[in-house]
Amino acid sequence: MSPAIEERHETRDTDLGDEELRARLSRTWGSARGLIGILSTVDHKIIGIRYAVTAFVFLLAGGIMAIIMRLQLARPDSHLVDAELYNQLFTMHGTTMMFLFGVPVGEAFAVYLVPLMVGTRNIAFPRLNAFSYYVYLFGGLMLWGGFALSIRPDVGWFSYVPLANLNFTPGKGPDYWAQMITFTEVAALAVSVEIVVTVLKQRAPGMTLDRIPLFVWTMLVHSFIIIFAMPAIMLASSMLIMERLVGTQFFNPDAGGDPLLWQHLFWFFGHPEVYIIFLPGTAFVSAIVATFSRRPVFGYLPMVLSLIAIGFLSFGLWVHHMFVTGLPEIGAAFFTASSMAIAIPNGVQIFCWIATLWDGKPVLKTPLIFVLGFFFIFVAGGLSGVMLASVPIDTQVHDTYFVVAHFHYVLIGGTVFPLVAAVYYWFPKVTGRLMDERLGKWQFVLAFCGFNITFFPMHLLGLHGMPRRVYTYPAEMGWGGLNLLASAGALLFFASFLLMLYNMIASARSGALAGDNPWGADTLEWATSSPPQPQNFDRIPCVTSGSPLWDQGDDNVVVGGLKVDERELVVTSIREARPDIREESPAPSIWPFLAAFATAVAFIGSIYTPWAITWGSPVVAIVLVAWFWPKTIEENV
Amino acid sequence: MASLTAAAGGSALASGCTGVQSALNPHGERADALAVLFWIFTAVLGLVWLVTMAGLFFALTRRRDSRGEPAQAHPAVKRPVRIAFAAMLTSTVIILSGLAVLSFDGQRAVFGDGAGAAVTISVIGHQWWWQVRYEGNNGFETANEIRIPVGSAVDIKLTTGDVIHSFWIPSLAGKLDLIPGKSNELRIQADKPGVYRGQCAEFCGQQHAHMAIFVVALEPSEFERWRAKQAAPARSMAHLAKQSVFASAASSPFAALSEHSQ
């Protein structure tokens, strides 16, 4: 008995042939079956898929809210929904799209793809990863569960005080909103830390800083932005809860507080938030443009520097959301300059992608077509953003439908179009099957027309004086025609997502088999099977180029010496990615799920009584102790 | 006579064209400046968009060597691409700098302190109506309507009685928020008699959509007559707030506007 175990523990990947190695690694890295197994998994691919599916469900939910609003606004003086419900709808729509869809969907792709792209076997801190997913899920369920039980926030996705204070908004709606923020931010911070460590310490040997795929660079910058931006909103939402629960006076001018403090804190997070949502879109575009042009993206260095510049600049723009609050003019003018400045690194990225397409031989498959839609829409949205950066122009269009049009151009154009492209692009990797091209092109026609018909007229509505967040408008304002047009477009746009859903389900069942690398792409996720084995790679690749699958051809250089029957991965140095040590990666555990559950109970309880923190903390602490309890390696294989 | 003109203007505006409350239908010095600035930005940025799209179109459709130039992963990047890239980047910087300077200039024009205002009016926001107070010895109050003399600068002092609101009359000026614990000041001026609609632009609760306000610009003599008349019975009417204006509206230029503000 004991010599056998001894021997098995000494087995290294260099000792085995391909077939046997694959089978044994897959057993070592696999997840158990059964309910406990499902809740215990720490496989970044499974968690990434859960993140993505959950985010898509919230996308549909938020989309349905939008459709109801568009039906209400299609005609003047409409009574389809009343003011109360309408205010709940736009609050839930904005909140869901920003916090439960926009941020998590970027994380979903990062969690799934970054470990594959850097050539490692699992994400760093995989149990934290599982924990973060459950926290996100519970936060989303809490908000929507509350909605179903008529506990509905109705003060907008930025919950300005004093409107969100107890005396103007009694009921628990804003508390659920604020606590949902806490949930999703805890989740986002956890994922960001994992991504940063994965990128800096777990890259395949030889993947020096200048060989990191642009996708991964983007996600790295994205994660750093989250780490610096999220604390501001967690502070703000906690202050709001305290204001409402125990009567602190942070925002009350009569007690020495200031309602603008909320706006500063919110937008200090809120503007980086735009880039938190948008950067994953650029990550998808970089990957797709390179693959379908058969060229690495033109200007690797300017691209990376632009990303980092965007990361820094995104923290210096927040006041452009507050131009009409009566701030000192010189201060406001500074933020005009900084807001315009961020157009420069964004422009650099656009020019680099266009240069890549010019230089290569573009293949017009669905992913690239959606990326072309991204150019058309996002550039328009970016340019209307330059208008909003100007203080005088902003005094006219701020808080009107012009702004609604602008940020949908930027967020849908900048994130959702690349996202759909990314779904078509990576679907074969995740499921092993290709999505239908013909349906994909129809979907593009629907989405592109629907989007522009919906949101272009909103620019004009805003200029003609229609403010945001009005549940109805009098007929004599003359806004009826454009609103009707926008509503018709919204139906088309929504239909495009139903078509995508159908395509995904049908293709997952009976789509054409994809093989490892159906698009002839250059990054490492395409070097493994589709779908990838639990261990990602049977042998850890060595990287000698920025486009390993194009340049390294068949010379299959790999790193050897990892244990086969234990979860081991290679830790490399930050700059040169020299192999440093073999590190054990945590095994599945139920404790992250239980910790998330305990955290959720404490958070939800604290909406009702501050004592929930007192009683909840020891429970969370006990669960965390169990989670981190040192164990000897399990030997019950 | 002037009152008839105003009434006619008001009803024409109200009768369906999109100019009722439009930033693109300016009738005051500041709104004019803003509209001009808006159109300059639109023209320049529209051109930028067109050039970018043309570049993209050219990139996709340029003639390629069809004789099987291999799908070479790392061709030497061609000189024209680099030059085009540098040119695009440079022009981006130049255009943005130009627009920033225009914006600063516009900011000065819109917010610059002119001479003292002819009239100062306090506007206090409430859920969901506007309290309007004419300051001075014979001060008086109205609600949801502001009357101003044509051609004179009017300062509006903005404060709030409850939550944040935003005061916005697109045809006359940009908007400015009413914030608890803070007093903001906005200058408006109307070039010709008329009724200019505006509405609250910051979400302020359930009936935000119905928080409209009307600015009625009268000829100066007409305005003075009205003000003198208001000042006399003002004390007794002050607390009647909203109703008082509508009650007196029947015989005034507001026949048209009281119709659509109900």
Side-chain angles (χ1 to χ4, degrees):
Chain A
M1 191 70 186
S2 115
I5 289 167
E6 194 65 12
E7 188 205 6
R8 194 160 57 226
H9 275 276
E10 284 309 311
T11 311
R12 304 293 173 97
D13 53 7
T14 40
D15 303 336
L16 299 171
D18 290 349
E19 297 276 310
E20 199 191 346
L21 178 64
R22 165 165 292 204
R24 285 178 64 172
L25 279 173
S26 150
R27 208 162 54 225
T28 306
W29 287 86
S31 305
R33 289 167 189 281
L35 185 62
I36 302 288
I38 288 170
L39 297 176
S40 303
T41 186
V42 291
D43 186 331
H44 73 97
K45 298 180 292 298
I46 296 174
I47 291 166
I49 291 170
R50 285 179 191 171
Y51 251 112
V53 169
T54 312
F56 271 103
V57 170
F58 284 126
L59 170 69
L60 283 181
I64 290 167
M65 305 274 113
I67 290 296
I68 301 173
M69 287 192 284
R70 280 318 319 169
L71 292 177
Q72 161 70 9
L73 292 177
R75 286 167 41 246
D77 300 311
S78 167
H79 293 292
L80 184 70
V81 296
D82 60 11
E84 195 186 353
L85 179 59
Y86 187 89
N87 296 344
Q88 294 163 353
L89 287 174
F90 74 64
T91 302
M92 288 297 281
H93 171 75
T95 305
T96 301
M97 291 307 198
M98 298 299 276
F99 292 107
L100 300 178
F101 165 69
V103 176
V105 84
E107 288 160 1
F109 278 77
V111 163
Y112 190 98
L113 288 169
V114 164
L116 286 165
M117 283 194 181
V118 302
T120 186
R121 288 196 165 143
N122 204 352
I123 199 164
F125 314 129
R127 289 181 180 180
L128 183 64
N129 194 27
F131 172 79
S132 82
Y133 170 72
Y134 294 120
V135 168
Y136 155 56
L137 178 69
F138 292 147
L141 288 179
M142 178 195 70
L143 185 73
W144 279 86
F147 186 80
L149 297 171
S150 290
I151 305 166
R152 301 175 180 172
D154 59 355
V155 288
W157 88 274
F158 35 91
S159 287
Y160 273 5
V161 288
L163 181 61
N165 280 350
L166 207 53
N167 43 343
F168 295 108
T169 311
K172 287 291 175 191
D175 303 286
Y176 271 64
W177 177 87
Q179 207 59 305
M180 180 281 310
I181 303 250
T182 314
F183 275 96
T184 50
E185 306 321 341
V186 167
L189 280 170
V191 171
S192 303
V193 170
E194 296 151 25
I195 295 293
V196 167
V197 175
T198 307
V199 174
L200 294 183
K201 293 304 292 176
Q202 288 185 208
R203 301 199 305 278
M207 188 181 280
T208 52
L209 285 184
D210 59 349
R211 290 176 188 157
I212 297 179
L214 283 172
F215 180 101
V216 175
W217 264 117
T218 314
M219 289 304 185
L220 182 66
V221 173
H222 165 254
S223 299
F224 273 114
I225 298 180
I226 289 181
I227 290 172
F228 287 102
M230 292 298 179
I233 187 66
M234 285 178 73
L235 181 65
S237 65
S238 306
M239 285 163 89
L240 179 61
I241 287 224
M242 287 195 277
E243 190 102 338
R244 293 175 54 90
L245 194 65
V246 294
T248 55
Q249 305 288 338
F250 298 120
F251 309 122
N252 179 3
D254 297 335
D258 189 344
L260 285 184
L261 172 64
W262 167 265
Q263 298 190 18
H264 280 294
L265 286 173
F266 188 87
W267 292 116
F268 185 80
F269 145 83
H271 203 81
E273 162 83 350
V274 173
Y275 285 90
I276 290 168
I277 292 179
F278 167 59
L279 281 183
T282 69
F284 307 150
V285 172
S286 289
I288 290 166
V289 163
T291 296
F292 291 94
S293 309
R294 306 284 301 150
R295 294 281 186 280
V297 171
F298 169 87
Y300 182 89
L301 188 62
M303 283 293 285
V304 173
L305 292 178
S306 299
L307 285 168
I308 295 170
I310 288 171
F312 279 104
L313 284 173
S314 69
F315 285 90
L317 314 179
W318 81 94
V319 170
H320 73 216
H321 297 270
M322 300 168 64
F323 278 163
V324 299
T325 55
L327 295 170
E329 292 307 324
I330 293 285
F334 170 84
F335 285 92
T336 293
S338 64
S339 305
M340 287 190 175
I342 204 166
I344 296 169
N346 279 309
V348 168
Q349 291 198 302
I350 300 277
F351 301 146
C352 285
W353 290 318
I354 293 180
T356 313
L357 289 167
W358 186 89
D359 200 42
K361 289 187 155 184
V363 184
L364 285 181
K365 298 274 189 184
T366 304
L368 187 62
I369 292 173
F370 269 93
V371 166
L372 297 180
F374 150 83
F375 283 116
F376 186 97
I377 295 166
F378 175 74
V379 173
L383 294 174
S384 64
V386 173
M387 292 179 165
L388 292 170
S390 162
V391 175
I393 294 180
D394 189 65
T395 63
Q396 281 289 23
V397 292
H398 181 84
D399 263 330
T400 69
Y401 264 83
F402 188 90
V403 173
V404 177
H406 159 73
F407 68 69
H408 283 93
Y409 263 71
V410 178
L411 291 177
I412 295 184
T415 302
V416 178
F417 272 72
L419 176 72
V420 175
V423 168
Y424 277 83
Y425 182 64
W426 279 294
F427 189 85
K429 178 50 62 185
V430 177
T431 64
R433 290 177 188 275
L434 288 157
M435 283 176 76
D436 189 275
E437 272 291 314
R438 208 168 52 91
L439 286 179
K441 281 166 186 158
W442 275 111
Q443 187 197 337
F444 176 78
V445 172
L446 271 181
F448 185 79
C449 296
F451 173 83
N452 285 297
I453 294 172
T454 308
F455 293 103
F456 190 79
M458 290 185 186
H459 291 109
L460 303 174
L461 282 169
L463 292 165
H464 287 313
M466 184 167 169
R468 292 171 75 175
R469 302 169 159 191
V470 288
Y471 77 98
T472 189
Y473 52 91
E476 60 265 29
M477 298 308 293
W479 299 330
L482 288 173
N483 269 304
L484 184 62
L485 187 63
S487 298
L491 292 174
L492 283 182
F493 192 48
F494 189 74
S496 80
F497 288 95
L498 297 181
L499 189 62
M500 176 164 88
L501 193 64
Y502 168 76
N503 195 356
M504 288 170 82
I505 294 169
S507 303
R509 286 187 182 168
S510 56
L513 288 175
D516 290 358
N517 190 1
W519 314 114
D522 63 332
T523 39
L524 284 180
E525 81 272 26
W526 303 102
T528 183
S529 57
S530 308
Q533 296 285 311
Q535 69 272 28
N536 288 353
F537 300 92
D538 297 339
R539 299 180 198 278
I540 301 299
C542 265
V543 174
T544 56
S545 143
S547 304
L549 269 56
W550 288 346
D551 298 338
Q552 290 179 223
D554 294 329
D555 60 338
N556 208 2
V557 189
V558 292
V559 188
L562 290 177
K563 287 183 190 167
V564 172
D565 297 309
E566 281 171 35
R567 295 175 170 237
E568 261 193 357
L569 34 81
V570 185
V571 172
T572 52
S573 63
I574 292 179
R575 271 197 321 163
E576 309 275 313
R578 276 187 236 275
D580 270 349
I581 43 171
R582 292 177 284 124
E583 174 78 11
E584 198 190 333
S585 177
S589 160
I590 190 67
W591 290 107
F593 172 78
L594 297 176
F597 188 76
T599 310
V601 171
F603 279 177
I604 296 173
S606 73
I607 292 174
Y608 293 93
T609 162
W611 287 102
I613 297 297
T614 313
W615 296 115
S617 301
V619 179
V620 173
I622 290 167
V623 179
L624 289 181
V625 167
W627 174 350
F628 291 108
W629 198 260
K631 291 186 213 42
T632 49
I633 297 152
E634 289 163 6
E635 294 182 315
N636 53 351
V637 184
Chain B
M1 279 323 277
S3 60
L4 282 176
T5 330
S11 52
L13 281 171
S15 64
C17 75
T18 46
V20 180
Q21 183 173 305
S22 174
L24 301 182
N25 186 19
H27 286 286
E29 202 184 340
R30 288 171 190 230
D32 285 341
L34 290 173
V36 169
L37 195 61
F38 170 80
W39 285 118
I40 295 174
F41 267 62
T42 306
V44 172
L45 295 170
L47 193 66
V48 171
W49 185 84
L50 281 176
V51 169
T52 313
M53 288 305 110
L56 179 63
F57 184 76
F58 176 67
L60 290 170
T61 56
R62 87 183 166 95
R63 275 187 57 182
R64 289 174 167 81
D65 194 351
S66 54
R67 284 174 294 118
E69 181 185 331
Q72 192 189 348
H74 292 281
V77 174
K78 294 162 193 94
R79 219 175 126 76
V81 182
R82 291 183 178 202
I83 292 171
F85 177 79
M88 292 289 263
L89 188 55
T90 315
S91 37
T92 305
V93 174
I94 293 170
I95 289 170
L96 286 171
S97 308
L99 290 177
V101 169
L102 278 178
S103 171
F104 296 149
D105 192 50
Q107 198 176 350
R108 203 179 308 163
V110 172
F111 296 100
D113 289 321
V119 185
T120 300
I121 302 168
S122 292
V123 170
I124 303 141
H126 298 276
Q127 283 178 321
W128 294 274
W129 62 285
W130 305 89
Q131 182 185 2
V132 181
R133 185 183 293 155
Y134 285 75
E135 308 290 357
N137 290 337
N138 297 317
F140 56 91
E141 291 193 355
T142 64
N144 295 334
E145 286 155 9
I146 304 175
R147 301 184 196 194
I148 60 170
V150 164
S152 312
V154 177
D155 278 342
I156 312 270
K157 283 171 72 173
L158 300 165
T159 53
T160 175
D162 41 46
V163 302
I164 300 176
H165 303 278
S166 193
F167 181 86
W168 184 38
I169 314 289
S171 296
L172 301 182
K175 63 180 73 62
L176 194 57
D177 287 354
L178 292 67
I179 296 172
K182 193 166 158 46
S183 174
N184 281 331
E185 198 165 292
L186 179 73
R187 175 163 292 192
I188 59 174
Q189 180 175 341
D191 291 340
K192 60 174 196 180
V195 182
Y196 305 101
R197 190 185 194 270
Q199 75 186 93
C200 177
E202 180 62 77
F203 180 67
C204 58
Q206 198 193 44
Q207 291 302 327
H208 165 62
H210 289 310
M211 196 168 156
I213 186 163
F214 295 86
V215 171
V216 180
L218 303 170
E219 293 294 354
S221 56
E222 181 90 357
F223 174 77
E224 285 309 326
R225 229 181 2 255
W226 170 80
R227 177 143 93 166
K229 214 161 85 183
Q230 286 293 312
R235 294 246 151 60
S236 64
M237 288 177 71
H239 63 279
L240 289 172
K242 209 168 178 174
Q243 291 83 352
S244 64
V245 171
F246 292 124
S248 66
S251 61
S252 75
F254 308 99
L257 76 99
S258 55
E259 234 170 66
H260 59 248
S261 59
Q262 272 162 6

